């Protein structure tokens, strides 16, 4: 061997060429979410991205594109499947056209506290992970919105007031629920709420105190009826092929950061429920709980929704329900 080649071989062995020939280049990922920067969900995923970068010494960098700036809500999951973007976040119940499993966190009377919502997620997680895997996707974590209630521009005391009322809903089940109450639903993205009100397309809406606060609900409505309908969740997921391209330690760091993000997100949701309710009050809104005939009508509309779901529900969906009921009765 010539002197030069010997030197080269020694340099390779010593790892001196590692800078020019890295074993694996740092990965740059894009992550799309429909929700804006003021949302606690977005704050949580941005923290997650920072945690990942730190834990991997910059080997995996995730850029969060918030507020639907990169991809519209309905295109996020297909885009992550294709691998156009490596990661995304969606409002899980918007996937209800794929399976009744994705509607289970929008059923009234099922999980009406953070504890129950968490149990429901624990029993749903394996099924949903399997369904995502079939599409080449890997869920990372899921975080709930505070429970859903009703925004109106009048004091809501009588179910008859909802008849013919045009109401904004974030998913199909909420639309069905509004129909059951005699209202006229329109599905609108969170970011389109101000326009929907200001152009007179809607008079009321169903969502959480968080979204009401983020969208300055007090500009359009005066009352929030805390009906505590359900705790719907967002789900954050990645393209499985992109995940498989990461080395073992990066994969592990990502999953650890995801577990922390899930825990932190549930806590942020609880805190946001309190602070957003306070913000609504500070802006002059009235928050009340439904009573009497109104409460009875809301319950009846909810029962009808659950009954319809039962008829649509397939085996995996019903299994989640029965597992959930077992866990709840064991509490
Ligand atoms: N905010 C989102 C989803 C549920 C919620 O509380 C929205 O209304 O679009």
């Amino acid at each position: 061997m010539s002197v030069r080649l010997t030197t080269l071989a020694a340099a390779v062995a010593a790892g001196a060429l590692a800078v020019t020939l890295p074993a694996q280049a740092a990965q740059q990922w894009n992550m799309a979410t429909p929700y804006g920067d003021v949302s606690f969900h977005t704050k949580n995923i941005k923290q997650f991205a920072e945690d990942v970068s730190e834990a991997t010494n910059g080997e995996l960098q995730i850029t969060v594109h918030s507020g639907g700036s990169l991809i519209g809500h309905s295109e996020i999951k297909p885009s992550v499947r294709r691998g156009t973007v490596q990661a995304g976040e969606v409002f899980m119940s918007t996937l209800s056209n794929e399976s009744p499993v994705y509607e289970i966190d929008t059923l009234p009377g099922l999980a009406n506290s953070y504890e129950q919502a968490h149990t429901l997620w624990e029993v749903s997680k394996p099924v949903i992970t399997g369904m995502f895997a079939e599409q080449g996707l890997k869920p990372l974590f899921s975080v709930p919105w505070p429970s859903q209630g009703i925004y109106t521009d009048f004091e809501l005391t009588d179910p008859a007031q909802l008849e013919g009322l045009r109401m904004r809903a974030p998913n199909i089940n909420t639309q069905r629920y509004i129909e059951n109450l005699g209202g006229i639903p329109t599905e609108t993205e969170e970011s389109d709420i101000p326009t929907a009100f200001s152009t007179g397309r809607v008079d009321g809406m169903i969502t959480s105190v968080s979204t009401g606060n983020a969208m300055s609900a007090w500009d359009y409505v005066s009352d929030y009826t805390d009906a505590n309908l359900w705790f719907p969740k967002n789900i954050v997921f990645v393209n499985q092929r992109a995940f498989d391209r990461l080395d073992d330690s990066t994969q592990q760091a990502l999953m650890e950061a995801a577990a922390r993000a899930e825990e932190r997100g549930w806590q942020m949701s609880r805190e946001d429920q309190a602070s957003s309710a306070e913000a609504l009050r500070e802006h002059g809104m009235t928050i009340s709980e439904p009573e009497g005939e109104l409460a009875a009508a809301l319950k009846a509309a909810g029962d009808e929704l659950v009954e319809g779901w039962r008829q649509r529900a397939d085996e995996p969906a019903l299994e989640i329900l029965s597992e959930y009921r077992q866990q709840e009765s064991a509490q």
Side-chain angles (χ1 to χ4, degrees):
M1 210 183 266
S2 76
V3 175
R4 270 185 68 215
L5 276 180
T6 316
T7 316
L8 182 62
V12 169
L17 294 185
V19 178
T20 46
L21 297 172
Q24 192 169 11
Q27 301 279 317
Q28 302 278 347
W29 279 12
N30 287 307
M31 175 153 162
T33 177
Y35 300 103
D37 289 336
V38 294
S39 172
F40 70 88
H41 284 286
T42 307
K43 290 179 185 149
N44 190 36
I45 58 175
K46 286 194 166 174
Q47 182 65 53
F48 163 70
E50 270 179 39
D51 290 352
V52 170
S53 170
E54 203 168 298
T56 62
N57 289 322
E59 281 301 304
L60 177 57
Q61 302 272 3
I62 304 174
T63 306
V64 174
H65 301 270
S66 59
S69 56
L70 189 63
I71 308 167
H73 198 166
S74 61
E75 275 306 304
I76 291 177
K77 185 159 170 273
S79 301
V80 180
R81 278 187 77 174
R82 282 195 300 272
T84 325
V85 289
Q86 293 77 16
E89 176 180 47
V90 300
F91 186 39
M92 196 157 73
S93 44
T94 58
L95 308 176
S96 64
N97 56 337
E98 290 184 33
S99 161
V101 164
Y102 297 125
E103 289 174 52
I104 209 156
D105 64 4
T106 58
L107 295 179
L110 193 61
N112 294 105
S113 66
Y114 277 103
E115 289 76 17
Q116 290 182 326
H118 198 260
T119 305
L120 185 59
W121 170 230
E122 288 295 320
V123 299
S124 313
K125 199 189 259 183
V127 178
I128 288 174
T129 303
M131 287 163 57
F132 268 59
E134 278 172 26
Q135 300 183 334
L137 297 169
K138 182 177 178 66
L140 292 185
F141 57 92
S142 178
V143 170
W145 293 88
S147 67
Q148 308 287 292
I150 306 171
Y151 288 82
T152 49
D153 59 356
F154 49 81
E155 189 187 351
L156 178 61
T157 51
D158 185 334
Q161 291 170 293
L162 295 169
E163 255 156 59
L165 197 72
R166 291 168 308 161
M167 298 195 87
R168 173 271 169 181
N171 57 29
I172 292 172
N173 245 10
T174 310
Q175 293 193 59
R176 292 188 182 111
Y177 182 70
I178 290 167
E179 262 164 14
N180 295 350
L181 289 164
I184 304 164
T186 323
E187 193 171 340
T188 310
E189 281 301 317
E190 187 197 63
S191 54
D192 294 333
I193 288 174
T195 314
F197 276 106
S198 62
T199 58
R201 216 157 21 95
V202 297
D203 309 306
M205 65 176 168
I206 292 187
T207 185
S208 59
V209 287
S210 299
T211 289
N213 181 24
M215 295 295 121
S216 309
W218 48 83
D219 286 346
Y220 314 100
V221 287
S222 56
D223 286 69
Y224 178 69
T225 303
D226 186 2
N228 191 12
L229 296 172
W230 50 77
F231 287 80
K233 295 183 294 292
N234 282 359
I235 186 161
V236 174
F237 51 94
V238 296
N239 177 289
Q240 183 71 52
R241 294 187 308 278
F243 182 83
D244 292 341
R245 279 197 290 272
L246 304 172
D247 62 35
D248 286 352
S249 65
T250 307
Q251 287 181 353
Q252 201 184 333
L254 180 72
M255 294 317 285
E256 280 169 12
R260 283 203 303 281
E262 180 156 298
E263 212 176 306
R264 182 177 58 231
W266 282 71
Q267 187 55 30
M268 287 172 93
S269 181
R270 283 173 189 262
E271 287 164 10
D272 202 88
Q273 176 151 39
S275 61
S276 286
E278 195 44 43
L280 296 184
R281 282 196 197 93
E282 274 169 15
H283 285 91
M285 289 191 65
T286 305
I287 301 182
S288 61
E289 282 180 21
E291 287 169 16
E293 260 188 57
L294 176 63
L298 296 180
K299 165 102 177 50
D303 290 348
E304 197 182 332
L305 191 65
V306 174
E307 190 42 44
W309 179 81
R310 269 184 189 283
Q311 284 165 18
R312 286 192 301 283
D314 55 3
E315 192 108 324
L318 293 171
E319 268 169 24
I320 294 174
L321 183 64
S322 98
E323 176 69 22
Y324 171 73
R325 293 235 189 269
Q326 267 177 34
Q327 298 246 350
E328 274 303 296
S329 60
Q331 291 289 307

